[in-house]
């Protein structure tokens, strides 16, 4: 797979000079978003809890002349999110764009088979990082009276998703956060939007979703592969294919840019035409 930056960015450098944080940027949609924002002129903070993955993304960006740094943080805690904001301001002096991308299903199984710890871990993976990062960034965006937050949600949040009740609840929370935060902060010229991907192929996945940090090994239900296939087959839209990280990144870049200057509080589906 080529590491060349996306040549299809629309119209010159929409994010020229803007300081852009992308969480979970060590792989998948996060990495694609970092590359796209960099191609559009952004100065990129590649945030990931895996330092090797973050540094690999930074290396791709810097090879193509993008100003980028890595931040190894765990945004699953408020302290981690606050440290990310402090590190960004120390490096670049300000924050213009925050892309909250951390999240992802851990288990596929009927809801009655989830135990209490699994439910809590799904929420910790797919809801809390976005909550914490939004809370941590506002003290920087409000005084400067500007900023764009783009949350990565999922069609699971609005439509539900087979065998992923806690994940769907997490992404429904991201949707509600997006709309409410936009309503509260429009007076400060801060825009808050979300992109809701459908099924998206991740060819550069570094870690399996079914494996967590040491001490929290995933206990996959019997027949998990079959449940995953059923879930994905049910979620293919009119285009009858999976999306790509670059297609999701294009929507993220639009929402982050001034081209979306009159759009806030919206969740934009990028799902290949789900009914």
């Amino acid at each position: 797979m080529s590491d060349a930056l996306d040549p299809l960015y629309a119209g010159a450098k929409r994010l020229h000079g803007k300081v852009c944080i992308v969480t979970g940027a060590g792989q998948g949609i996060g990495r694609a978003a970092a590359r796209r924002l960099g191609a559009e002129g952004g100065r990129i903070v590649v945030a990931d809890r895996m330092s090797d993955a973050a540094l690999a993304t930074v290396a791709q960006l810097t090879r193509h002349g993008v100003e980028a740094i890595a931040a190894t943080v765990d945004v699953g805690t408020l302290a981690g999110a606050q440290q990310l904001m402090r590190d960004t301001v120390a490096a670049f002096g300000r924050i213009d764009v925050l892309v909250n991308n951390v999240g992802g299903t851990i288990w596929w199984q009927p809801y009655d088979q989830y135990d209490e710890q699994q439910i809590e871990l799904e929420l910790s993976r797919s809801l809390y990082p976005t909550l914490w990062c939004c809370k941590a960034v506002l003290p920087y965006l409000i005084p400067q009276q500007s900023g764009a937050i783009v949350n990565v949600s999922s069609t699971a949040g609005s439509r539900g998703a087979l065998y992923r009740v806690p994940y769907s609840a997490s992404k429904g929370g991201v949707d509600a956060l997006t709309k409410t935060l936009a309503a509260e902060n429009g007076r400060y010229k801060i825009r808050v939007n979300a992109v809701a991907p459908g099924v998206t192929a991740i060819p550069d996945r570094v870690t399996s979703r079914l494996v967590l940090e040491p001490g929290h090994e995933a206990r996959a239900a019997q027949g998990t592969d079959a449940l995953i296939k059923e879930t994905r087959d049910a979620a293919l839209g009119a285009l009858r294919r999976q999306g790509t990280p670059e297609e999701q990144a294009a929507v993220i870049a639009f929402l982050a840019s001034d081209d979306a200057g009159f759009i806030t509080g919206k969740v934009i589906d990028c799902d290949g035409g789900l009914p």
Side-chain angles (χ1 to χ4, degrees):
M1 176 180 177
S2 171
D3 73 347
L5 299 183
D6 185 354
L8 300 178
Y9 56 85
K13 302 289 188 181
R14 295 184 298 186
L15 296 165
H16 177 70
K18 292 194 174 183
V19 177
C20 307
I21 300 171
V22 185
T23 69
Q27 61 184 332
I29 293 172
R31 175 174 283 171
R35 288 156 51 89
R36 178 64 180 252
L37 298 181
E40 297 215 22
R43 304 158 78 191
I44 311 301
V45 177
V46 176
D48 203 287
R49 65 180 182 176
M50 297 177 295
S51 60
D52 289 349
L55 290 170
T57 301
V58 168
Q60 290 185 9
L61 294 171
T62 56
R63 277 198 296 273
H64 295 280
V66 176
E67 189 174 359
I69 63 170
T72 304
V73 293
D74 180 4
V75 294
T77 67
L78 177 58
Q82 290 171 330
Q83 186 63 53
L84 172 60
M85 306 310 157
R86 286 194 297 268
D87 290 348
T88 299
V89 172
F92 291 120
R94 61 183 289 118
I95 300 168
D96 297 297
V97 174
L98 168 64
V99 177
N100 288 310
N101 171 69
V102 171
T105 301
I106 306 170
W107 290 274
W108 277 261
Q109 58 192 9
Y111 188 50
D112 62 283
Q113 294 182 19
Y114 281 85
D115 62 33
E116 182 177 5
Q117 183 187 48
Q118 289 174 327
I119 293 169
E120 290 176 349
L121 287 170
E122 291 277 9
L123 294 173
S124 295
R125 168 76 66 87
S126 293
L127 175 58
Y128 279 105
T130 300
L131 281 168
W132 295 141
C133 283
C134 286
K135 179 173 176 59
V137 79
L138 286 173
Y140 298 93
L141 302 186
I142 290 173
Q144 72 188 29
Q145 298 278 296
S146 67
I149 298 172
V150 184
N151 298 324
V152 178
S153 182
S154 169
T155 54
S158 58
R159 295 182 174 87
L162 288 173
Y163 310 120
R164 294 183 290 168
V165 168
Y167 173 73
S168 297
S170 295
K171 292 304 188 180
V174 170
D175 291 351
L177 167 67
T178 297
K179 295 171 184 178
T180 308
L181 209 61
E184 287 186 4
N185 291 281
R187 72 195 71 183
Y188 305 118
K189 300 180 176 62
I190 298 167
R191 297 184 301 104
V192 188
N193 292 291
V195 56
V199 178
T200 304
I202 308 296
D204 64 347
R205 187 178 297 283
V206 177
T207 57
S208 169
R209 282 179 170 177
L210 296 178
V211 177
L212 296 173
E213 57 272 7
H216 294 295
E217 302 275 324
R219 299 183 296 283
Q222 184 177 6
T224 291
D225 288 345
L227 297 184
I228 293 173
K229 183 178 187 304
E230 182 183 353
T231 300
R232 289 176 173 165
D233 289 348
L236 291 179
L239 296 181
R240 307 308 300 166
R241 66 171 176 83
Q242 296 184 20
T244 69
E246 289 74 23
E247 288 168 327
Q248 306 300 336
V251 182
I252 292 169
F254 165 68
L255 291 173
S257 77
D258 291 341
D259 280 355
F262 200 52
I263 299 174
T264 194
K266 303 304 180 185
V267 180
I268 308 299
D269 291 344
C270 186
D271 58 14
L274 284 175

